Amino acid sequence: MIFAVLIPLIFAIFVPMLSKIKHKIHTGIFVFFIPFSIFLYFIRFVGNDFSPVRHEYSWIPSLGINFDFYLDGLSLLFVLLISGIGSLVVLYSVYYLHVSERLGSFYVYLLMFMTAMLGVVLSDNLFVLYTFWELTSISSFLLIGYWHWRERSRYGAQKSMLITVFGGLSMLGGFVLLTVVTGTTSIQAIISQIDVILESNYLPLIMGLILLGAFTKSAQFPFHIWLPDAMEAPTPVSAYLHSATMVKAGIYLVARFSPVFATYEWFFIVVSIVGIVTLCWASYMAVRQTDLKGILAFSTISQLGMIMAMLGFGTKVAVFAAMFHILNHATFKGSLFMVAGIIDHETGTRDIRRLGGLLTIMPITATLALFGTFSMAGIPLPFLNGFYSKELFFDSTLHLNEVINPVANVLIPIIPYLAVFGSIFTFVYSMYFFFGVFTGPKQFDKLKIKPHEAPIGMLISPIILVLGVILIGLFPNMVNGTFLIHAAEAVNSAVEYKKVYFWHGFVPELYMSLAVVGIGTVLYITRKKWSNVYHVLPGKMSFNKLYDALVKNVDIVSAKITNTYMTGSLKLYMTIILAAIVVVTFIVMFVTNGFQMEYSNLAEVTFIEVAVVAIIIIAALATIFTTSKLGAILITGVVGYGVATLFVIYRAPDLALTQLVIETVSVALFLLCFYHLPKLQKRKESTRSKVQNGIISIGFGALMTMIAISAHSTDWFDPISDYFLETAYKLGGGHNVVNVILVDMRGLDTLFEIAVLGIAALAIFSLIKLRNNKEAE
Amino acid sequence: MTDTLYQASEALLEITVFICFIAISISLLLLLYRMIDGPTSPDRAVALDTIGINLMGVAALVAIYLVTPNLNDVILLIAVLAFLGTVAIAKYLEKGVIIDRDMD
């Protein structure tokens, strides 16, 4: 099974090679055999006696991340959709994309996507699922931005990337929590631990995060905004990714995890409400669109909302209906996208206001569109599969009584009305799509290209899909009993197979369907009169605006925040660094009770120490307040000499020697660059800044003093100096203990300090030399 | 008898060292005043030179006080450095540079 998943990716490596000969043979013809063979491989599993298949391949066993594939009914449904519609889309793209396009890139991205999607639906491992999930986001990003020189394509690609990756990351968070709670990464193992999850405190968080991933991917309200902008992709991509497969990944995720969450009351509420709101809002908005693909995009959103709602209901009928509708939607929506592509290809526009009267020019396309749109609208005709799933949908909204959920009781009576509301608008835009394009006045003079019927090759794929629509419409029980029931069982094991008939008497569902058709017809005919309603709702409101503002303001606000502290002023940086050290250290020392004072082991203070220290203090204060540049340097010299005297008093002759030499050299160096030093002036600073600097410097000094006192007061272990004193001559062969330590006991430190001096000397040399050499700049 | 004499001489030495410390401290403080107050740079330079010489005294006194020969190097070094430093400052004050560039 791993080969079935990875073959597209492996084949993608060879696609660029094949695309070199594209002028003789279209690259798509080679590619076609890949999804088709996968389809043939998986179709073998379909049958009444289907049972789940499991294949395991280890990847990172130590982290519990393995390429485990699990093929149950739900996966099988999706795999067949992906490979089947994938084959048809590749076939369609052979005729749709001209050989002058960058075919190599196109098919590489498409095959990448195919692998990713197969991986998502087959993975049994959470993290492998996430890996493939992000791969779908990336390949979708690449495909939307396929015509990357168009500004709108880039915008759409970025938008879909941001939104779906946002969801993907939150989903990863949910997965990690789920792994932590259950201790396993296998989805099937997790499902078998429902009790553990339901008792976990993290349950709301897990469900929320995973659902966020599902809702963003499946373009649910209010994350639906990326899908209409993704319509900038080539039409085969829209047909494949944005109607049949990728947008259903979220549906798949919800379906996959509904055995876990279904008994949790908030699952019903969140998923159903989001689904129903998406259904209503998107179908309402679809009527307003003028671009054919825009209508189809919103239509996809609304249909996905409907499926999501049914998964949210989680009743036997609803789950079955959801599976049924996934299949049906893929067939009619795929064909409709292809029809839209054909119209675009043969007339040069997708703007419905410039199209009309194509019925006699493009009779085959019109027929295909007729079946597609009428099935989408759910018109009660026995050969349209859309009607069956819509009626099952109504059925499921009416039979929510099985849901025992105290919180949801308020919602249950409202849901059927909302369902009818959404379906009415579905009817209106479906009719608008069909009649707006194919009937009405002919205005061919406005078109760039003289319209004509599409070549037969382009029509093959939509014809097959429409045949699917009709066949499922005529014999719904053929697919249901053998195939969809297994999918539904994977979601809700209580599902029992109920035969679907076209006619089952005068029941409320039928009245609902009739109401949809009746009110829908009226609304469609009077469409122009009530279209003003869109000025009221949504009016100026739009989630796109919110998204744009968000993306723009993140930039602006972060720039503002950065500019407040990254001013380029070293003084400010020093202030922040020192203040941070003071505050953090002080708090840590205070909390850990680190400040200690111990007087017992202090040495006696002698007069000469007091005198020298007094001189050093006076000199140090004088360097701060002096106004003469040379004076400051010389007084600093006094401090240095004073320190050397302290070394003398504390019996450190070597230190004193070094200190004296270094101090003299430093003074000489200051004098060397004296001319370039800034003039010392009385600094004009505000009182606030003076006080601030004063507080920070005094605070820092006080802190260091206190730490020094505490360090001296705490005596945790004996010093090791006795060892040095004893062994300096015995081991090192020298009487000067300091020098023995420097070159014998701790010779490595000395080595690297020599290195530091060497580097400093070389750096100074090169700085001076390079500065004189203008060419080196 | 010898012990008493030895102790007396030790006490004498200690007192002398102490008095010398006080004298040098006063001298250092006065020099510090000259250093900080100025008013001109040569004043300060001379003050620094003299501080160096005073420090030699301090080091010598510390050596006597601690009864050690290890600080003699320090005394010699201060002498050399004070001379070098004063020459450098003097040259700077006179010519504005310490190291002349080659005249080629």
Side-chain angles (χ1 to χ4, degrees):
Chain A
M1 203 180 287
I2 192 168
F3 293 109
V5 173
L6 292 182
I7 270 181
L9 205 58
I10 295 165
F11 189 74
I13 299 169
F14 301 103
V15 164
M17 253 186 272
L18 293 170
S19 71
K20 295 280 183 262
I21 50 167
K22 65 181 175 184
H23 288 286
K24 293 197 189 98
I25 311 167
H26 197 283
T27 318
I29 293 169
F30 301 110
V31 176
F32 170 75
F33 294 102
I34 299 297
F36 192 63
S37 50
I38 297 173
F39 182 75
L40 291 180
Y41 173 77
F42 281 111
I43 195 99
R44 296 181 304 128
F45 291 98
V46 177
N48 279 323
D49 49 351
F50 172 79
S51 62
V53 185
R54 190 181 167 85
H55 290 250
E56 294 180 357
Y57 308 89
S58 50
W59 182 21
I60 317 174
S62 56
L63 295 178
I65 298 174
N66 291 308
F67 269 99
D68 294 344
F69 294 114
Y70 183 77
L71 182 78
D72 61 354
L74 183 64
S75 305
L76 189 63
L77 167 64
F78 276 92
V79 165
L80 289 178
L81 278 182
I82 293 159
S83 54
I85 297 193
S87 319
L88 296 176
V89 160
V90 172
L91 194 64
Y92 176 77
S93 70
V94 169
Y95 294 90
Y96 185 83
L97 289 174
H98 193 253
V99 285
S100 59
E101 299 270 10
R102 297 170 305 124
L103 293 177
S105 314
F106 181 80
Y107 288 110
V108 167
Y109 302 158
L110 199 71
L111 288 169
M112 235 166 88
F113 172 78
M114 210 174 277
T115 285
M117 205 57 215
L118 289 169
V120 164
V121 298
L122 285 172
S123 292
D124 186 43
N125 190 290
L126 285 177
F127 297 102
V128 174
L129 192 153
Y130 172 73
T131 310
F132 284 118
W133 184 276
E134 290 300 5
L135 193 59
T136 64
S137 295
I138 292 166
S139 47
S140 161
F141 169 79
L142 290 169
L143 283 166
I144 296 169
Y146 179 64
W147 288 312
H148 54 75
W149 52 88
R150 293 187 192 164
E151 211 261 325
R152 293 291 308 167
S153 290
R154 296 198 303 270
Y155 173 79
Q158 188 202 32
K159 193 174 189 177
S160 73
M161 185 77 170
L162 285 176
I163 295 178
T164 54
V165 169
F166 160 73
L169 279 177
S170 61
M171 188 183 86
L172 178 64
F175 282 178
V176 170
L177 276 177
L178 208 52
T179 316
V180 171
V181 168
T182 60
T184 173
T185 51
S186 158
I187 295 172
Q188 292 306 317
I190 285 169
I191 290 172
S192 65
Q193 292 194 36
I194 302 174
D195 301 336
V196 180
I197 300 165
L198 288 179
E199 280 164 20
S200 159
N201 294 331
Y202 295 116
L203 179 62
L205 202 57
I206 293 174
M207 194 193 77
L209 288 173
I210 291 181
L211 285 185
L212 206 56
F215 288 164
T216 50
K217 200 72 162 183
S218 284
Q220 298 297 299
F221 188 87
F223 306 110
H224 62 277
I225 49 172
W226 66 269
L227 189 58
D229 282 303
M231 291 300 132
E232 295 300 321
T235 304
V237 173
S238 309
Y240 187 38
L241 273 69
H242 306 128
S243 75
T245 55
M246 189 178 93
V247 287
K248 292 207 177 97
I251 302 276
Y252 168 80
L253 195 72
V254 173
R256 178 53 85 205
F257 282 99
S258 41
V260 180
F261 298 126
T263 44
Y264 183 45
E265 58 214 30
W266 284 98
F267 178 79
F268 172 83
I269 296 167
V270 173
V271 178
S272 309
I273 289 183
V274 168
I276 288 280
V277 168
T278 310
L279 164 67
C280 295
W281 179 253
S283 60
Y284 171 72
M285 288 298 285
V287 182
R288 191 195 187 196
Q289 305 298 314
T290 53
D291 176 30
L292 290 184
K293 280 171 84 175
I295 299 176
L296 292 177
F298 275 102
S299 148
T300 304
I301 297 168
S302 100
Q303 305 278 331
L304 290 171
M306 177 172 145
I307 299 171
M308 196 62 94
M310 287 191 277
L311 286 174
F313 299 160
T315 57
K316 290 182 229 167
V317 190
V319 168
F320 183 73
M323 295 303 131
F324 193 30
H325 197 65
I326 289 171
L327 180 66
N328 293 342
H329 176 248
T331 54
F332 66 71
K333 191 53 64 66
S335 66
L336 281 177
F337 265 108
M338 291 174 184
V339 164
I342 289 169
I343 294 166
D344 186 15
H345 208 264
E346 309 306 337
T347 62
T349 181
R350 293 198 314 249
D351 191 332
I352 200 161
R353 289 167 299 189
R354 291 163 66 190
L355 293 164
L358 291 174
L359 188 61
T360 50
I361 311 276
M362 305 168 80
I364 304 174
T365 316
T367 317
L368 297 174
L370 179 81
F371 283 110
T373 49
F374 278 39
S375 179
M376 181 159 74
I379 289 176
L381 289 172
F383 47 85
L384 298 173
N385 58 6
F387 166 67
Y388 294 97
S389 45
K390 183 135 295 182
E391 204 165 58
L392 279 173
F393 173 54
F394 289 149
D395 190 17
S396 61
T397 59
L398 290 170
H399 293 88
L400 284 175
N401 309 337
E402 318 178 20
V403 180
I404 303 155
N405 190 334
V407 198
N409 278 340
V410 195
L411 288 170
I412 290 172
I414 313 171
I415 286 173
Y417 294 100
L418 286 172
V420 171
F421 176 82
S423 302
I424 289 169
F425 281 98
T426 308
F427 183 86
V428 173
Y429 70 70
S430 301
M431 295 303 110
Y432 180 48
F433 185 94
F434 180 74
F435 291 109
V437 173
F438 293 103
T439 61
K442 296 179 178 168
Q443 33 187 351
F444 298 151
D445 47 322
K446 285 188 194 166
L447 300 175
K448 284 181 222 148
I449 311 170
K450 196 172 174 299
H452 53 87
E453 183 56 271
I456 183 69
M458 217 167 181
L459 290 167
I460 294 173
S461 301
I463 284 174
I464 292 174
L465 285 171
V466 165
L467 278 179
V469 170
I470 297 169
L471 282 177
I472 298 172
L474 288 176
F475 312 105
N477 299 318
M478 185 182 68
V479 284
N480 289 350
T482 54
F483 174 41
L484 289 176
I485 188 70
H486 299 306
E489 272 167 0
V491 181
N492 184 344
S493 50
V495 169
E496 52 204 39
Y497 174 51
K498 193 174 90 174
K499 281 202 169 177
V500 181
Y501 294 107
F502 173 66
W503 179 258
H504 37 86
F506 293 98
V507 284
E509 296 94 291
L510 183 68
Y511 300 131
M512 284 163 87
S513 282
L514 290 177
V516 167
V517 175
I519 301 172
T521 314
V522 174
L523 276 181
Y524 170 64
I525 292 165
T526 59
R527 193 176 58 86
K528 290 225 165 66
K529 287 178 187 145
W530 57 268
S531 60
N532 281 337
V533 74
Y534 286 102
H535 295 299
V536 185
L537 186 85
K540 295 216 161 128
M541 288 186 301
S542 147
F543 285 103
N544 284 313
K545 277 185 190 160
L546 188 71
Y547 164 84
D548 289 337
L550 211 64
V551 170
K552 206 173 125 205
N553 281 327
V554 164
D555 249 13
I556 295 171
V557 170
S558 57
K560 262 187 195 163
I561 292 173
T562 308
N563 286 339
T564 53
Y565 65 92
M566 298 300 287
T567 53
S569 149
L570 287 180
K571 190 187 144 197
L572 182 68
Y573 300 162
M574 278 314 285
T575 310
I576 293 170
I577 291 170
L578 291 181
I581 291 175
V582 169
V583 171
V584 172
T585 317
F586 190 82
I587 290 171
V588 170
M589 291 294 277
F590 194 79
V591 168
T592 59
N593 205 9
F595 291 120
Q596 301 285 334
M597 278 248 195
E598 183 76 40
Y599 302 101
S600 61
N601 58 348
L602 294 182
E604 206 178 321
V605 180
T606 59
F607 167 75
I608 184 70
E609 286 163 5
V610 174
V612 172
V613 167
I615 284 163
I616 292 178
I617 290 173
I618 293 168
L621 285 174
T623 46
I624 301 174
F625 293 105
T626 185
T627 49
S628 151
K629 202 166 28 163
L630 196 55
I633 292 168
L634 296 181
I635 298 168
T636 317
V638 173
V639 177
Y641 280 1
V643 172
T645 319
L646 280 183
F647 287 147
V648 167
I649 295 167
Y650 293 134
R651 306 174 202 196
D654 292 305
L655 283 184
L657 287 175
T658 318
Q659 168 71 20
L660 283 166
V661 176
I662 294 298
E663 192 55 44
T664 314
V665 171
S666 310
V667 171
L669 281 178
F670 270 125
L671 290 175
L672 254 182
C673 54
F674 184 77
Y675 180 75
H676 303 284
L677 291 177
K679 264 215 163 113
L680 275 184
Q681 287 164 342
K682 198 144 178 67
R683 292 230 252 155
K684 288 194 182 88
E685 279 187 82
S686 65
T687 328
R688 189 166 157 257
S689 140
K690 267 186 198 165
V691 169
Q692 190 186 322
N693 290 346
I695 289 172
I696 288 174
S697 49
I698 291 170
F700 194 74
L703 179 81
M704 286 302 148
T705 312
M706 282 157 84
I707 288 175
I709 292 171
S710 313
H712 185 260
S713 303
T714 44
D715 194 8
W716 286 343
F717 35 73
D718 298 328
I720 56 166
S721 49
D722 291 340
Y723 171 78
F724 291 128
L725 291 173
E726 275 170 29
T727 56
Y729 186 68
K730 241 191 309 182
L731 297 179
H735 289 293
N736 188 329
V737 181
V738 173
N739 289 355
V740 168
I741 290 175
L742 282 179
V743 298
D744 272 330
M745 315 256 188
R746 300 272 178 82
L748 266 184
D749 297 358
T750 315
L751 175 67
F752 289 109
E753 270 154 35
I754 292 169
V756 167
L757 285 179
I759 291 167
L762 284 175
I764 291 167
F765 178 75
S766 48
L767 276 175
I768 293 169
K769 275 293 166 195
L770 285 180
R771 199 177 157 205
N772 290 338
N773 185 0
K774 292 270 185 228
E775 284 168 25
E777 277 174 13
Chain B
M1 180 65 194
T2 325
D3 277 1
T4 339
L5 200 64
Y6 183 72
Q7 276 174 4
S9 66
E10 209 174 39
L12 186 70
L13 202 59
E14 210 162 275
I15 292 164
T16 318
V17 166
F18 186 70
I19 292 167
C20 290
F21 268 140
I22 292 175
I24 287 183
S25 299
I26 293 165
S27 151
L28 276 174
L29 282 173
L30 291 174
L31 283 167
L32 199 61
Y33 170 72
R34 185 51 53 217
M35 189 87 203
I36 293 163
D37 189 50
T40 64
S41 293
D43 289 329
R44 292 197 175 97
V46 172
L48 191 65
D49 189 39
T50 322
I51 286 176
I53 291 162
N54 276 290
L55 290 183
M56 284 163 69
V58 171
L61 288 171
V62 171
I64 294 166
Y65 182 70
L66 296 175
V67 200
T68 167
N70 288 340
L71 292 173
N72 298 352
D73 301 347
V74 178
I75 299 165
L76 290 174
L77 190 75
I78 295 176
V80 173
L81 291 178
F83 172 71
L84 283 180
T86 313
V87 168
I89 296 168
K91 190 169 179 192
Y92 176 79
L93 291 173
E94 191 72 14
K95 300 182 80 172
V97 288
I98 297 175
I99 302 164
D100 293 309
R101 281 166 190 256
D102 292 340
M103 295 298 177
D104 51 24

